[in-house]
Amino acid sequence: MSLKDKIESVRNQFLADIESFPTSQKEIEDLRVTYLGRKGQVASLFSEMGSLSAEERPDAGQWLNQLKTELAKQFESKVDEMDQGSSGNDLFLDPTLPGIAPPLGSMHPLERTLQEIKDIFTSIGFHIAYGPEIDDDYHNFSALNFPEHHPARDMQDTFFVSPDTVLRTHTSNVQIHLMENEDPPIRHIVPGRVYRNEAISFKSYCLFHQVEGIYVDKNVSFGELKGVLEYFVRQMFGPKVKMRFRPSFFPFTEPSAEVDIWSTERNQWLEILGCGMVDPAVFDNVGYDSSIWHGYAFGMGVERIAMLKYKIDDIRHFYQGDIRFLEQFK
Ligand code: PHE
């Protein structure tokens, strides 16, 4: 076989080997030694040049040098290929390391608070109901015994959609819808969004959430209302929380009260809900006989409760979607 044929056959063998054989850095290195090492195939071809005639030698030298650079190049690119392919592959995988957890969302603190409120009341027999956020003046105000020129109807507080349609300012509108649609006894809580046209600050926002409660039956007493709300507060904030009932006024309840919780952070009482016995005038508006039926109602602010429970100092945190805030509720 001439030297030229031998060169050709080494080249072909090499091309077949490099294509199929090496799967690790070590195998490539072994292959490189076989071909380009000091005693490798290319070196032994070079040594055969000694037996060539002076005329044959220059050409043979050129072919051999070509082969040598060609092989060196191929090894280089094979090593590069392997480096890229192996990152994140077998070479870098340590199965004893803890895994990287995919990021998980968290429940929004308002949703979480609402769930707790719902759990507490449904476990003592309340049903859950919903009602409209856009309602007529009648259900939001008149039927609830608000006098014609009561300041709560003022533009200061109420978003009007039209002269007779409002974004509800409280969930109490659903008291009226429930009593219009069902005969007593009724016992519901009503979670939902409410709207008030107030200056936005750390303690008030144009939108917030309330949970209304209404219970109508024979022989419902104020003592029962106090008992249920005290039970709720202790479930929500723990048995040691300081709370008080403070006399108050609402057009649709008589007598009326508000419940305050003592905040050790702020060193002051914070109001969390309004309540009272359903005013007979409201029963008249929905066609319940107030000589037979009695009831109590309450309405609590979900943000206020969440702020107290989770020690949040600014109501605006609830609506900004800041992950640094939300991630604290995982
Ligand atoms: N609707 C009242 C408010 O928004 C709360 C309330 C509800 C008071 C039910 C009494 C009875 O402040």
Side-chain angles (χ1 to χ4, degrees):
M1 209 197 274
S2 74
L3 185 59
K4 194 168 185 194
D5 290 340
K6 283 184 188 165
I7 290 173
E8 221 28 64
S9 107
V10 168
R11 175 182 276 121
N12 288 335
Q13 185 56 46
F14 166 78
L15 288 174
D17 283 350
I18 198 91
E19 237 0 273
S20 59
F21 171 59
T23 56
S24 68
Q25 306 275 18
K26 174 161 189 326
E27 283 174 351
I28 294 179
E29 185 53 23
D30 289 349
L31 205 57
R32 207 184 60 77
V33 171
T34 312
Y35 284 93
L36 294 177
R38 225 156 28 88
K39 295 179 179 160
Q41 306 248 25
V42 175
S44 86
L45 290 176
F46 267 108
S47 67
E48 286 185 31
M49 277 188 37
S51 57
L52 296 178
S53 67
E55 299 88 69
E56 289 170 315
R57 230 171 263 166
D59 278 348
Q62 222 182 347
W63 298 329
L64 276 170
N65 278 325
Q66 239 169 34
L67 179 69
K68 196 175 159 186
T69 38
E70 189 185 327
L71 265 54
K73 251 196 207 143
Q74 293 255 15
F75 277 117
E76 221 174 276
S77 68
K78 194 77 187 175
V79 169
D80 281 356
E81 204 177 285
M82 185 121 315
D83 279 350
Q84 278 165 19
S86 65
S87 57
N89 218 327
D90 53 350
L91 285 177
F92 291 90
L93 176 68
D94 180 350
T96 65
L97 288 174
I100 300 165
L104 270 186
S106 54
M107 194 184 273
H108 193 281
L110 280 182
E111 180 61 26
R112 187 154 146 182
T113 307
L114 192 55
Q115 294 278 4
E116 291 180 63
I117 296 172
K118 286 198 256 182
D119 285 349
I120 294 168
F121 282 105
T122 53
S123 73
I124 54 171
F126 282 80
H127 302 280
I128 295 175
Y130 296 92
E133 287 176 31
I134 301 174
D135 211 345
D136 48 31
D137 176 280
Y138 178 76
H139 287 86
N140 196 81
F141 292 127
S142 302
L144 288 163
N145 204 31
F146 278 85
E148 194 65 45
H149 297 292
H150 192 281
R153 295 182 186 220
D154 198 292
M155 290 294 280
Q156 298 275 331
D157 299 310
T158 309
F159 287 111
F160 285 86
V161 176
S162 72
D164 190 45
T165 312
V166 300
L167 297 185
R168 68 175 173 195
T169 57
H170 50 188
T171 43
S172 301
N173 66 326
V174 188
Q175 287 189 29
I176 305 300
H177 288 287
L178 284 169
M179 290 191 280
E180 281 174 343
N181 295 330
E182 283 177 49
D183 288 331
I186 61 168
R187 182 159 49 192
H188 292 284
I189 56 164
V190 182
R193 260 177 246 162
V194 303
Y195 303 84
R196 285 185 202 176
N197 192 3
E198 287 180 45
I200 290 170
S201 74
F202 72 95
K203 60 177 179 178
S204 54
Y205 204 69
C206 50
L207 158 153
F208 58 100
H209 298 75
Q210 287 188 335
V211 175
E212 193 81 7
I214 179 152
Y215 175 42
V216 181
D217 206 336
K218 291 173 183 161
N219 303 317
V220 179
S221 69
F222 195 85
E224 222 173 318
L225 170 63
K226 280 189 76 178
V228 163
L229 290 179
E230 195 167 332
Y231 172 77
F232 164 73
V233 166
R234 305 239 175 266
Q235 289 291 306
M236 196 71 197
F237 295 101
K240 285 193 231 126
V241 69
K242 255 167 80 183
M243 67 180 288
R244 71 175 182 193
F245 285 82
R246 178 169 42 79
S248 186
F249 173 81
F250 300 99
F252 41 96
T253 49
E254 179 59 34
S256 304
E258 284 174 302
V259 169
D260 299 333
I261 301 273
W262 179 258
S263 163
T264 38
E265 281 72 38
R266 294 203 200 160
N267 213 29
Q268 69 183 82
W269 290 105
L270 291 180
E271 177 210 324
I272 59 159
L273 63 82
C275 63
M277 302 305 291
V278 178
D279 195 297
V282 175
F283 282 148
D284 290 346
N285 290 336
V286 297
Y288 280 14
D289 184 343
S290 59
S291 67
I292 305 172
W293 303 106
H294 297 107
Y296 63 69
F298 55 84
M300 61 184 72
V302 182
E303 277 81 351
R304 272 292 175 82
I305 290 171
M307 287 169 83
L308 273 161
K309 178 147 177 154
Y310 297 114
K311 311 199 187 312
I312 297 162
D313 57 8
D314 191 324
I315 195 170
R316 291 167 292 196
H317 283 309
F318 292 120
Y319 318 111
Q320 283 165 340
D322 187 330
I323 288 185
R324 292 168 302 181
F325 171 71
L326 296 173
E327 275 186 337
Q328 297 175 47
F329 298 92
K330 277 193 174 153

